[in-house]
């Protein structure tokens, strides 16, 4: 069986790196369990490992006997009402499973077996614009009702919202979450809220209201360092028949630049096409064209073809330059567009994860292999 799973969350037993982030989560969880709730936002570009970190935190919280709800947000959740109902339904489901696993009190078991979302919440949603305060009150009431039933045997309830940039499309959702959970925190209810989303989410949070940034305690994920990258290769291999030579491991570290998704993709194709259990430099060289083709089809084409023609021109312009990092003024000169328009286009490309803003007025492509792709230089 192939131990690498590009495009899927990494099993917690194979999760590598992020020690500081995990320690921060443990610290916040400990405080939440002691009735001093803390909340987090895990932010980063596509494929950087946000969901895998979220799953690892979920696993850690479960070992502390917490009820953990993990919701993958999508376009189907389009209103605050949808969001609240989804969270409550997930808490009910997790509460039922928790009661069976840990043999909770009959009172709690009966509560989750019979719990139904209050008709008051459903009713308020019909005229939400006129009754936001009432709706918020009813949502808090439901959460308090749940906590008061389980608090004798559950240290905390952790609510995780993945793909949280979807909240940008739900009008008023971020202030609603802050206000709702801030208020129930004042009443000694041990709820922890953990968001995971793109960096643009935090920029949105700061634009709406600065206290939101403090409320969600954001952490930004970057690429793994070389030691962590080696660990990300070795951990999945530890449960498989395959072995990579040190030469192959170092080649993956160098080529991937510590990008978790790209590490997984390299490992996947090397194991998938291996002719023996030992994967050496010759196997790596023979498989490299297939790896590059996989990167093109599974990652880079999406980045490029979802960009507008003028954005594609910017990407190719940056790729064709000798220097990896380009100054804003040089990009303006090359694109021959007004500075304000170029600035807006660069911001959009950063939000799409195609570009990284290295410093004020300086930009680079998000990965060197993406640069090779744009230059048509993918080769073994």
């Amino acid at each position: 069986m192939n131990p690498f799973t590009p495009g899927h969350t990494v099993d917690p037993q194979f999760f590598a790196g992020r020690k500081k982030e995990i320690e921060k989560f443990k610290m916040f969880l400990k405080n939440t369990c002691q009735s001093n709730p803390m909340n987090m936002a895990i932010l980063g570009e596509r494929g950087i490992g946000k969901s895998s970190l979220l799953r690892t935190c979920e696993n850690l919280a479960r070992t502390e006997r917490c009820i953990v709800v993990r919701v993958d947000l999508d376009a189907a959740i389009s209103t605050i009402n949808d969001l609240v109902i989804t969270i409550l339904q997930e808490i009910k489901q997790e509460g039922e499973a928790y009661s069976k696993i840990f043999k909770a009190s009959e009172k709690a078991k009966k509560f989750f077996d019979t719990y139904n979302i209050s008709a008051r919440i459903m009713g308020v949603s019909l005229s939400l614009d006129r009754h936001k305060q009432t709706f918020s009150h009813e949502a808090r009431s439901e959460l308090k009702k749940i906590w008061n039933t389980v608090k004798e045997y559950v240290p905390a309830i952790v609510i995780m919202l993945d793909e949280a940039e979807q909240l940008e499309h739900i009008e008023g959702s971020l202030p609603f979450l802050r206000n709702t959970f801030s208020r129930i925190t004042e009443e000694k209810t041990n709820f922890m809220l953990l968001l995971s989303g793109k960096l643009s989410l935090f920029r949105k949070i700061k634009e709406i209201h600065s206290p939101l940034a403090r409320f969600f305690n954001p952490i930004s994920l970057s690429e793994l360092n070389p030691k962590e990258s080696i660990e990300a290769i070795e951990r999945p291999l530890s449960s498989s028949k395959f072995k990579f030579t040190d030469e192959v491991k170092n080649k993956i570290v160098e080529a991937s630049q510590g990008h978790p998704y790209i590490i997984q993709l390299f490992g996947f194709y090397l194991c998938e096409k291996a002719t023996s259990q030992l994967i050496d430099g010759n196997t790596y060289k023979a498989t490299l064209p297939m790896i590059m083709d996989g990167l093109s089809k599974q990652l880079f084409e999406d980045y490029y073809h979802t960009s507008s023609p003028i954005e594609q021109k910017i990407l190719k312009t940056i790729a064709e330059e000798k220097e990896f990092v380009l100054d804003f003024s040089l990009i303006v000169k090359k694109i021959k567009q007004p500075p304000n328009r170029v600035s807006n286009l660069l911001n959009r490309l950063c939000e799409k994860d195609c570009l990284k803003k290295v410093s004020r007025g300086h930009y680079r492509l998000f990965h060197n292999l993406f640069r090779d792709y744009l230059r048509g230089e993918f080769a073994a």
Side-chain angles (χ1 to χ4, degrees):
M1 181 177 176
N2 199 316
F4 294 95
T5 57
H8 300 281
T9 57
V10 175
D11 190 296
Q13 66 175 316
F14 302 140
F15 188 78
R18 313 301 188 198
K19 289 181 173 55
K20 289 191 294 186
E21 291 83 357
I22 289 172
E23 286 304 312
K24 189 170 187 178
F25 172 77
K26 287 180 178 178
M27 178 179 68
F28 283 9
L29 180 63
K30 178 183 176 182
N31 273 268
T32 300
C33 292
Q34 295 173 347
S35 299
N36 180 30
M38 304 288 288
N39 308 289
M40 284 178 66
I42 299 171
L43 307 166
E45 67 189 47
R46 193 187 325 179
I48 204 67
K50 302 183 297 296
S51 295
S52 293
L53 176 57
L54 201 67
R55 184 179 174 190
T56 298
C57 291
E58 176 186 9
N59 190 59
L60 290 169
R62 290 189 191 281
T63 62
E64 298 297 324
R65 297 172 66 101
C66 298
I67 290 178
V68 186
V69 169
R70 182 155 61 101
V71 177
D72 296 321
L73 297 177
D74 56 36
I77 302 174
S78 59
T79 66
I80 292 176
N81 180 58
D82 294 338
L83 179 63
V84 171
I85 290 173
T86 299
I87 290 172
L88 293 176
Q89 287 174 333
E90 290 291 331
I91 292 176
K92 170 182 167 63
Q93 182 176 324
E94 291 297 323
E96 288 174 339
Y98 186 101
S99 298
K100 292 174 183 176
I101 294 171
F102 293 111
K103 296 181 172 58
S105 69
E106 282 301 315
K107 175 186 173 184
K109 186 177 183 301
K110 183 178 179 181
F111 171 82
F112 284 115
D113 285 343
T114 60
Y115 177 71
N116 198 2
I117 299 169
S118 170
R120 292 173 299 175
I121 284 187
M122 301 296 285
V124 169
S125 69
L126 297 176
S127 52
L128 183 56
D129 288 340
R130 290 186 298 147
H131 297 286
K132 284 183 179 177
Q133 288 185 341
T134 304
F135 183 74
S136 179
H137 172 78
E138 296 299 342
R140 295 198 307 270
S141 177
E142 292 298 312
L143 292 169
K144 283 159 52 181
K145 183 193 301 182
I146 292 170
W147 176 249
N148 288 333
T149 303
V150 304
K151 64 183 181 181
E152 293 179 7
Y153 66 97
V154 175
I157 297 176
V158 182
I159 298 171
M160 299 180 168
L161 303 180
D162 201 5
E163 306 293 340
E165 59 270 12
Q166 178 63 27
L167 294 172
E168 297 179 39
H169 306 293
I170 304 175
E171 184 180 356
S173 59
L174 287 165
F176 174 85
L177 286 172
R178 178 185 181 273
N179 295 338
T180 299
F181 284 90
S182 290
R183 288 291 298 276
I184 60 174
T185 293
E186 294 171 4
E187 300 179 41
K188 302 300 180 184
T189 58
N190 297 2
F191 284 93
M192 180 180 185
L193 189 59
L194 181 55
L195 308 184
S196 172
K198 295 175 67 173
L199 287 167
S200 59
L201 173 66
F202 186 52
R203 286 194 286 270
K204 185 72 171 178
I205 288 172
K206 290 200 293 186
E207 287 171 9
I208 294 171
H209 209 289
S210 58
L212 275 168
R214 295 193 294 273
F215 176 77
F216 284 115
N217 293 293
I219 58 170
S220 297
L221 300 186
S222 57
E223 290 80 2
L224 301 174
N225 63 37
K227 182 178 179 181
E228 293 169 335
S229 298
I230 293 290
E231 185 184 3
I233 297 167
E234 291 179 341
R235 284 201 171 188
L237 290 173
S238 65
S239 66
S240 76
K241 64 180 181 180
F242 299 107
K243 293 185 182 299
F244 289 5
T245 63
D246 288 342
E247 177 191 7
V248 169
K249 293 175 191 175
N250 290 331
K251 282 180 177 292
I252 295 174
V253 171
E254 181 180 3
S256 69
Q257 298 177 267
H259 193 286
Y261 173 81
I262 296 178
I263 290 173
Q264 287 285 318
L265 193 138
F266 265 78
F268 174 81
Y269 279 108
L270 286 169
C271 291
E272 198 67 18
K273 295 301 176 180
T275 56
S276 69
Q277 294 182 10
L278 181 65
I279 297 173
D280 59 15
N282 290 328
T283 305
Y284 179 92
K285 184 177 181 179
T287 312
L288 194 55
M290 181 175 291
I291 294 172
M292 296 310 179
D293 184 64
L295 273 172
S296 295
K297 290 182 169 58
Q298 294 169 238
L299 188 64
F300 298 150
E301 285 183 6
D302 186 40
Y303 279 112
Y304 183 71
H305 291 298
T306 56
S307 301
S308 67
I310 185 64
E311 290 171 344
Q312 291 175 359
K313 183 178 180 181
I314 290 176
L315 293 174
K316 286 202 166 187
T317 296
I318 294 176
E320 289 164 1
E321 289 297 309
K322 183 179 179 180
E323 300 297 325
F324 285 93
V325 178
L326 265 66
D327 181 82
F328 174 75
S329 59
L330 178 60
I331 299 172
V332 171
K333 181 179 178 181
K334 293 282 185 178
I335 300 301
K336 298 178 181 178
Q337 294 286 330
N340 285 346
R341 188 180 185 210
V342 174
S343 179
N344 289 333
L345 290 167
L346 291 172
N347 287 335
R348 277 166 49 186
L349 286 168
C350 287
E351 289 180 1
K352 293 178 180 180
D353 296 330
C354 296
L355 292 183
K356 285 188 176 183
K357 189 173 183 178
V358 178
S359 59
R360 185 180 178 88
H362 293 84
Y363 299 84
R364 63 162 295 161
L365 295 168
F366 91 98
H367 199 278
N368 288 353
L369 291 177
F370 185 44
R371 181 175 188 254
D372 293 343
Y373 164 81
L374 292 169
R375 293 169 65 135
E377 294 180 358
F378 264 15

